[in-house]
Amino acid sequence: MSDCVFCRIRDGELPGSVVYRDDRAMVLLDLFPVREAHCLVIPLEHQPLLQNLSPELTAHLFELARRTIRAQKRAGLDVLAHNVMVNDGREANQHVPHVHIHVIPRRGGDTLATALTWGTRMMNIFGLAKRRHRLDRLAGLLAEHFPKV
């Protein structure tokens, strides 16, 4: 789908800080992260809603979410827990109508900061080039620690 940002990243039309990619899905860093190393697990197939995915692809996406958690911990990031979530549909706060799973690293005492960042994260459009460079470096680190299974 030509107007979908995730499809355009998939097709190389837009930059993306990709941690992992296979023939069914990819893991990339969120351009507007809630916390450092906030990742998105995205099917390569364009589908707006989770209910449209096959059971096999759904299972694969959640397996990649599990492996993303392991990569974040292996990379030595300050991670004690995770939020793993899907905003499924516009009314559920899904900003990009393409299925994606958020994998958000958490540490103790970050609840207020996380809530504030979640509410304002897409308003910060300044410094995208510098942010992209930082995300690309972090994607490389996570890719080095991404488990094969």
Side-chain angles (χ1 to χ4, degrees):
M1 178 168 236
S2 63
D3 61 338
C4 172
V5 68
F6 294 150
C7 290
R8 292 183 70 199
I9 291 169
R10 174 200 65 205
D11 296 341
E13 297 171 16
L14 289 176
S17 300
V18 178
V19 172
Y20 174 84
R21 183 177 176 142
D22 61 27
D23 62 337
R24 296 183 286 172
M26 65 181 168
V27 177
L28 63 134
L29 286 158
D30 194 307
L31 184 58
F32 299 99
V34 173
R35 307 295 322 140
E36 180 185 38
H38 174 173
C39 290
L40 302 173
V41 180
I42 301 167
L44 298 182
E45 170 189 336
H46 179 83
Q47 288 295 341
L49 299 172
L50 193 60
Q51 69 189 12
N52 297 338
L53 299 181
S54 70
E56 296 79 18
L57 182 54
T58 302
H60 182 64
L61 295 177
F62 278 93
E63 169 59 16
L64 290 180
R66 184 190 71 81
R67 290 167 57 190
T68 299
I69 288 169
R70 290 188 64 204
Q72 290 169 337
K73 290 182 176 183
R74 285 179 174 182
L77 302 177
D78 184 15
V79 178
L80 298 176
H82 286 83
N83 289 115
V84 177
M85 56 190 262
V86 177
N87 298 329
D88 196 39
R90 184 178 188 187
E91 293 75 13
N93 201 33
Q94 182 184 21
H95 295 286
V96 178
H98 185 127
V99 172
H100 56 286
I101 301 170
H102 293 265
V103 181
I104 305 170
R106 301 294 303 274
R107 62 178 195 274
D110 69 348
T111 301
L112 180 59
T114 300
L116 290 173
T117 303
W118 188 266
T120 62
R121 71 193 186 108
M122 295 186 133
M123 295 169 64
N124 183 6
I125 60 169
F126 302 103
L128 286 179
K130 184 177 180 182
R131 183 180 316 153
R132 170 68 58 211
H133 180 69
R134 188 176 75 247
L135 290 173
D136 287 345
R137 283 194 346 256
L138 183 55
L141 174 67
L142 292 172
E144 286 177 31
H145 292 88
F146 203 85
K148 296 195 187 319
V149 188

